Amino acid sequence: MPRRHALLRIAAALALPAVLGACSLGSPSGPGARRIAYGEHPSQFGELTLPAGTPRGVAVVVHGGFWRQARGLELGRPLAADLADAGLAAWNVEYRRVGGDGGWPATFEDVATAVDLLAGPVQEAAGGRLPLDRVVAVGHSAGGHLGTWLAARPGLPEGAPGAGPAVRLRGVVSQAGVLDLVDAEQRGVGSGAASDLLGGGPDELPDRYALASPIARLPLGVPVVCVHGTADANVPIRQSERFVAAAGDAAELVTLPGADHFAVIDPDTEAWRACRDGVERLLA
């Protein structure tokens, strides 16, 4: 029954409008969350959920959906609530997606700007209590890609989208993340989602893939915990295996026997608890 209740919560979130329009600082977005815009586009905002006491860390929640407009940050709301219950500030970010003015470089610029906002309006909304030296990303699927890419920002060349971060991540929990965009495109992951995101395939746009694919940005300089189910039919576990093999001691693979693609975003599952445990290890 707990799993059923969690799935009902996720289904209810999906029934909400995907884009709610930009609001001013402090506008309510849901139970316990504050909506903060970082741009004028309807998809340029995030939701801040604070714990009851002083936050002992910050979790940037990045939702999935193969970078496409059909899914939004409603997928991250149950996770943000659970992380806040565990004593963390949760910054659940929305961003422009393919089909909604997103793609290269807009999607990347948005998530980078959203994270950097932690040092300004988000910190102000939290009363200056956010420990910005203890920021980790938790991203699912396409969000796992974006969260891991965010960790790579300090190594990006000057002038590249996302270069020169104001806030640096301490680590990343990638939940069934798409971490090798070239391999994903070659194997048809997401039915061409990577080429939709970047505007073409790796043979056409090798420079974009070199900047955008987390495996191409190694070493990141921070640890990555890759949590992936063996029964994932959406993003094969091969994506996490390849990344961890390339990253060596800087990455950890947590294999979930029999788990599908969505178990990791169901807060009543052991799969999600493995993700939250990964966050705790990064903050230890």
Side-chain angles (χ1 to χ4, degrees):
M1 289 301 292
R3 177 176 174 81
R4 175 177 172 79
H5 292 160
L7 291 175
L8 288 173
R9 288 200 303 272
I10 294 170
L14 287 171
L16 296 172
V19 178
L20 302 176
C23 294
S24 61
L25 177 64
S27 298
S29 292
R34 299 182 70 180
R35 179 183 172 110
I36 305 173
Y38 61 86
E40 296 182 355
H41 192 278
S43 294
Q44 291 177 319
F45 70 96
E47 294 179 354
L48 175 66
T49 305
L50 294 172
T54 299
R56 55 190 183 84
V58 180
V60 178
V61 180
V62 192
H63 72 82
F66 282 127
W67 310 281
R68 293 174 176 139
Q69 185 69 16
R71 294 289 182 264
L73 93 172
E74 64 273 3
L75 291 173
R77 284 175 179 154
L79 309 187
D82 189 75
L83 289 163
D85 286 345
L88 304 178
W91 176 228
N92 184 22
V93 301
E94 190 56 280
Y95 51 90
R96 286 173 289 176
R97 286 143 285 153
V98 175
D101 300 320
W104 179 269
T107 295
F108 296 84
E109 292 171 342
D110 279 6
V111 293
T113 301
V115 170
D116 287 348
L117 207 72
L118 287 168
V122 181
Q123 180 70 288
E124 294 169 13
R129 296 181 298 148
L130 300 181
L132 297 183
D133 59 339
R134 294 174 59 79
V135 180
V136 300
V138 182
H140 174 239
S141 193
H145 157 261
L146 292 171
T148 309
W149 176 84
L150 286 165
R153 290 177 64 200
L156 290 170
E158 184 177 355
V167 175
R168 298 188 177 206
L169 299 186
R170 185 185 180 104
V172 182
V173 174
S174 170
Q175 305 168 283
V178 187
L179 303 179
D180 185 339
L181 295 185
V182 174
D183 185 71
E185 185 59 23
Q186 290 173 343
R187 292 177 176 270
V189 175
S191 300
S195 62
D196 289 345
L197 174 69
L198 296 181
D203 293 335
E204 303 167 85
L205 299 167
D207 292 346
R208 290 186 184 181
Y209 279 79
L211 291 173
S213 184
I215 199 169
R217 303 312 309 166
L218 291 170
L220 304 186
V222 296
V224 180
V225 179
C226 298
V227 184
H228 217 127
T230 60
D232 193 326
N234 298 72
V235 177
I237 195 171
R238 167 186 171 89
Q239 281 281 311
S240 290
E241 291 171 341
R242 286 174 61 83
F243 182 85
V244 171
D249 292 342
E252 172 190 355
L253 178 61
V254 179
T255 301
L256 305 173
D260 66 15
H261 188 62
F262 298 101
V264 289
I265 58 169
D266 179 342
D268 285 335
T269 65
E270 290 297 327
W272 164 246
R273 280 186 278 279
C275 299
R276 196 175 62 196
D277 288 348
V279 171
E280 296 294 348
R281 289 197 295 280
L282 294 172
L283 292 175

